[in-house]
Amino acid sequence: QVQLVESGGGLVQPGGSLRLSCVASGFALAYYAIGWFRQAPGKEREGVLCIDASDKSTFYADSVKGRFTISRDNNKKTVYLQMNTLKPDDTAVYYCAANYGPACSLSTRYWGQGTQVTVSS
């Protein structure tokens, strides 16, 4: 059974940092690109960042460049989203999703259940 489980969300003050984790099971993570997406209240879901099977990152959202990074540890079957200098506009439910293959794409196959990130003072 394929599963993606996100964790690490929470409440953080503006300017703070969080690291989200996405643990994969039921498929060979090393062969798949994994993307992070987010959905803020009243807005459509948007892509944030993706990491392909060769560890190359692709930014989907210009607003996070210079603040967010993505990494993976295939041995731990985990993909991370490091979020620094957080802003209130980063408040959203964050999801990880597996692509259909090794390359990044907005077309995704499997989704996690999401983790809430709230940036507020």
Side-chain angles (χ1 to χ4, degrees):
Q1 180 183 1
V2 172
Q3 274 195 314
L4 293 168
V5 180
E6 303 95 334
S7 64
L11 174 64
V12 62
Q13 291 187 343
S17 297
L18 281 175
R19 188 177 78 159
L20 305 184
S21 300
C22 171
V23 179
S25 60
F27 68 103
L29 177 67
Y31 298 104
Y32 290 86
I34 301 293
W36 282 96
F37 297 77
R38 65 186 181 184
Q39 186 165 20
K43 295 186 178 180
E44 293 188 356
R45 186 165 57 195
E46 66 169 348
V48 178
L49 262 173
C50 178
I51 186 165
D52 68 15
S54 301
D55 284 354
K56 178 183 175 184
S57 300
T58 298
F59 281 93
Y60 292 141
D62 288 341
S63 63
V64 306
K65 287 182 178 179
R67 301 188 298 122
F68 290 13
T69 57
I70 190 170
S71 61
R72 63 194 298 157
D73 184 336
N74 291 329
N75 290 329
K76 294 183 178 180
K77 299 184 179 181
T78 303
V79 175
Y80 303 98
L81 182 67
Q82 178 67 44
M83 306 186 295
N84 299 327
T85 319
L86 282 160
K87 304 175 181 179
D89 284 349
D90 295 318
T91 296
V93 178
Y94 284 72
Y95 302 88
C96 64
N99 284 120
Y100 284 89
C104 286
S105 166
L106 289 174
S107 177
T108 54
R109 185 175 185 181
Y110 303 116
W111 287 85
Q113 84 290 348
T115 185
Q116 176 71 46
V117 172
T118 302
V119 184
S120 175
S121 55

